[in-house]
Amino acid sequence: MAQVKIDNVIKRYGAVQVMHGVDVDINDGEFVVLVGPSGCGKSTLLRMLAGLEEISDGTISIGDRVVNDVPPKERDIAMVFQSYALYPHKTVYDNIGFPLKMAKRPQDEIDKKVTGAADILDLTKYLKRYPKELSGGQRQRVAMGRAIVRDPQVFLFDEPLSNLDAKLRVTMRVEIKELHQRLGTTIVYVTHDQIEAMTMADKIVVMRDGRVEQIGAPLDLYDNPANIFVAGFIGSPSMNFVHGQIVNDGGVRQFRSDNGLMLPLPHTNAADGTKVTYGIRPEHITISDHGVPLRVIVVEPTGSETQVFAKHGTDFIDAMVKDRFKAAPNSEVRFAIDPANVHLFDRATEQRL
Ligand SMILES: Nc1ncnc2c1ncn2[C@@H]1O[C@H](COP(=O)(O)OP(=O)(O)O)[C@@H](O)[C@H]1O
Ligand SMILES: [Mg+2]
């Protein structure tokens, strides 16, 4: 097991710089998820950790060792990819044992490690099968088995569940988390799916355009997003944003949107007249006679909850309410907002106020 330190890492492909000084500290045994939209640099960062991609500047350490110039197979890491890259003509047993065979380990050790990994991953029954005789989830477990037998200091996962259907993804999410609890090995896991990040991570690293936007525990990011990007990326459905300013109406401070919508203001040191972006999560809105009047656009019942899309001129706000609710399009609906749940951002810098 080992801690990992990524220190001011820069990556250029020719003249194009795609990574702009990334710092991430990963503790021993921690489950860290790199999350962000496609193209933000997650895979590049993971491949640099693995040694599959050179870094242009900065340092990467695994354990106490700077690994900038250490080749991949001497880094003591194991990587699991989105495409499981199993050998079609080898059995499950031989696929899992392949790294040990390549390392010319004795047969009794291979046997012990392969059966051990198969036991952990519930693959014992399938050891004699070939990949084409397995389901997608079982194949992904074989790929994980091949990583486990190497007993690495760090596991790297690059979107390992993207090829699976939604239901299987949830099951595998739980399995990988369980695996981490059991082995206690440091994991760096890449995904573009914020739900995966929220549910699996000890620590989330939110990335955008080759930069780290924020690092924190899942609920820290949810409760205290550092900027509009993180606020909009973490949480589902997404946070509502309304642009406007702080106004003082005879001593009562409120938020007024560009469009004239008045919303309750949380405590803030920002002066009257400050231009702000107002953020409120759909699940923090309730429907109440005392709420702010808007017009219903559509109502979507999901069974357990109801999502209500509403507008005021060109301001759009949606609410996710626990109760069942019906309303005709264009009818009035009143949204109540507890100011304690409101997030205010500087409109120009998009940083949290
Ligand atoms: N081999 C390469 N040559 C040039 N540019 C690359 C190469 N690999 C990745 N990039 C660029 O680096 C950026 C980050 O890519 P990547 O790490 O694959 O993003 P992600 O995994 O977050 O989707 C993208 O802009 C991508 O186009
Ligand atoms: Mg990628």
Side-chain angles (χ1 to χ4, degrees), residues 70-189:
V70 176
K73 61 177 188 300
E74 288 166 30
R75 290 193 184 196
D76 204 6
I77 46 136
M79 192 149 168
V80 179
F81 298 92
Q82 176 179 351
S83 59
Y84 332 120
L86 301 182
Y87 300 100
H89 303 298
K90 289 187 195 300
T91 61
V92 168
Y93 182 102
D94 288 338
N95 265 287
I96 295 177
F98 189 71
L100 302 173
K101 195 155 186 200
M102 286 306 284
K104 303 206 162 51
R105 305 306 305 167
Q107 187 53 45
D108 59 338
E109 180 192 328
I110 296 179
D111 206 49
K112 197 161 156 245
K113 288 198 167 161
V114 172
T115 51
D119 184 38
I120 288 173
L121 294 164
D122 211 7
L123 287 170
T124 306
K125 288 202 298 269
Y126 307 102
L127 284 171
K128 291 202 176 89
R129 291 207 192 171
Y130 289 88
K132 66 171 188 301
E133 298 166 321
L134 301 176
S135 69
Q138 289 164 341
R139 283 180 211 171
Q140 187 53 268
R141 291 211 289 271
V142 175
M144 287 197 274
R146 201 167 48 186
I148 290 174
V149 293
R150 295 176 50 199
D151 195 16
Q153 291 203 71
V154 183
F155 284 113
L156 305 179
F157 288 89
D158 194 353
E159 310 229 10
L161 308 185
S162 308
N163 286 343
L164 306 177
D165 66 48
K167 206 170 162 192
L168 192 53
R169 272 211 302 272
V170 175
T171 314
M172 292 301 293
R173 212 157 79 191
V174 175
E175 285 187 17
I176 294 175
K177 218 173 146 172
E178 225 182 350
L179 184 70
H180 176 251
Q181 285 162 5
R182 203 191 284 212
L183 302 176
T185 312
T186 310
I187 292 184
V188 186
Y189 184 104

Side-chain angles (χ1 to χ4, degrees), residues 42-43 158-159 190:
K42 307 178 295 293
S43 294
D158 194 353
E159 310 229 10
V190 161

Side-chain angles (χ1 to χ4, degrees), residues 13 18-19 36-45 53 158-159 190:
Y13 286 109
V18 298
M19 196 78 66
S38 177
C40 71
K42 307 178 295 293
S43 294
T44 302
L45 191 55
E53 198 74 70
D158 194 353
E159 310 229 10
V190 161

Side-chain angles (χ1 to χ4, degrees), residues 197-211:
M198 288 297 282
T199 52
M200 298 174 90
D202 294 321
K203 186 153 92 188
I204 297 178
V205 179
V206 182
M207 295 180 66
R208 172 169 61 160
D209 294 342
R211 289 189 170 82

Side-chain angles (χ1 to χ4, degrees), residues 2-313:
Q3 75 275 21
V4 175
K5 201 168 164 58
I6 299 167
D7 192 9
N8 201 16
V9 163
I10 285 171
K11 177 67 184 173
R12 291 181 208 93
Y13 286 109
V16 184
Q17 187 167 332
V18 298
M19 196 78 66
H20 311 274
V22 165
D23 296 306
V24 185
D25 279 342
I26 297 167
N27 298 322
D28 188 14
E30 204 166 30
F31 196 134
V32 171
V33 176
L34 308 179
V35 69
S38 177
C40 71
K42 307 178 295 293
S43 294
T44 302
L45 191 55
L46 205 67
R47 291 170 60 79
M48 291 193 291
L49 273 179
L52 300 171
E53 198 74 70
E54 266 185 32
I55 67 176
S56 308
D57 211 339
T59 49
I60 294 180
S61 323
I62 299 175
D64 294 324
R65 184 167 66 140
V66 172
V67 296
N68 286 23
D69 300 316
V70 176
K73 61 177 188 300
E74 288 166 30
R75 290 193 184 196
D76 204 6
I77 46 136
M79 192 149 168
V80 179
F81 298 92
Q82 176 179 351
S83 59
Y84 332 120
L86 301 182
Y87 300 100
H89 303 298
K90 289 187 195 300
T91 61
V92 168
Y93 182 102
D94 288 338
N95 265 287
I96 295 177
F98 189 71
L100 302 173
K101 195 155 186 200
M102 286 306 284
K104 303 206 162 51
R105 305 306 305 167
Q107 187 53 45
D108 59 338
E109 180 192 328
I110 296 179
D111 206 49
K112 197 161 156 245
K113 288 198 167 161
V114 172
T115 51
D119 184 38
I120 288 173
L121 294 164
D122 211 7
L123 287 170
T124 306
K125 288 202 298 269
Y126 307 102
L127 284 171
K128 291 202 176 89
R129 291 207 192 171
Y130 289 88
K132 66 171 188 301
E133 298 166 321
L134 301 176
S135 69
Q138 289 164 341
R139 283 180 211 171
Q140 187 53 268
R141 291 211 289 271
V142 175
M144 287 197 274
R146 201 167 48 186
I148 290 174
V149 293
R150 295 176 50 199
D151 195 16
Q153 291 203 71
V154 183
F155 284 113
L156 305 179
F157 288 89
D158 194 353
E159 310 229 10
L161 308 185
S162 308
N163 286 343
L164 306 177
D165 66 48
K167 206 170 162 192
L168 192 53
R169 272 211 302 272
V170 175
T171 314
M172 292 301 293
R173 212 157 79 191
V174 175
E175 285 187 17
I176 294 175
K177 218 173 146 172
E178 225 182 350
L179 184 70
H180 176 251
Q181 285 162 5
R182 203 191 284 212
L183 302 176
T185 312
T186 310
I187 292 184
V188 186
Y189 184 104
V190 161
T191 179
H192 62 273
D193 179 352
Q194 64 88 25
I195 302 245
E196 260 177 45
M198 288 297 282
T199 52
M200 298 174 90
D202 294 321
K203 186 153 92 188
I204 297 178
V205 179
V206 182
M207 295 180 66
R208 172 169 61 160
D209 294 342
R211 289 189 170 82
V212 172
E213 291 285 325
Q214 191 172 3
I215 300 179
L219 294 179
D220 285 344
L221 299 192
Y222 179 89
D223 290 337
N224 293 302
N227 54 47
I228 289 182
F229 178 79
V230 175
F233 193 79
I234 299 288
S236 174
S238 234
M239 188 184 285
N240 294 288
F241 296 109
V242 184
H243 302 301
Q245 59 180 294
I246 296 172
V247 293
N248 191 328
D249 192 2
V252 180
R253 282 175 26 111
Q254 278 185 286
F255 168 85
R256 188 181 69 214
S257 82
D258 296 349
N259 206 14
L261 179 65
M262 305 298 284
L263 297 170
L265 195 70
H267 173 78
T268 168
N269 293 326
D272 297 344
T274 307
K275 288 191 177 295
V276 296
T277 297
Y278 187 100
I280 180 76
R281 295 195 183 278
E283 60 272 33
H284 289 152
I285 296 174
T286 52
I287 293 175
S288 152
D289 292 344
H290 308 293
V292 179
L294 295 110
R295 294 274 152 207
V296 170
I297 306 169
V298 286
V299 176
E300 291 184 347
T302 66
S304 60
E305 291 164 314
T306 310
Q307 192 165 9
V308 183
F309 294 83
K311 66 176 176 180
H312 172 92

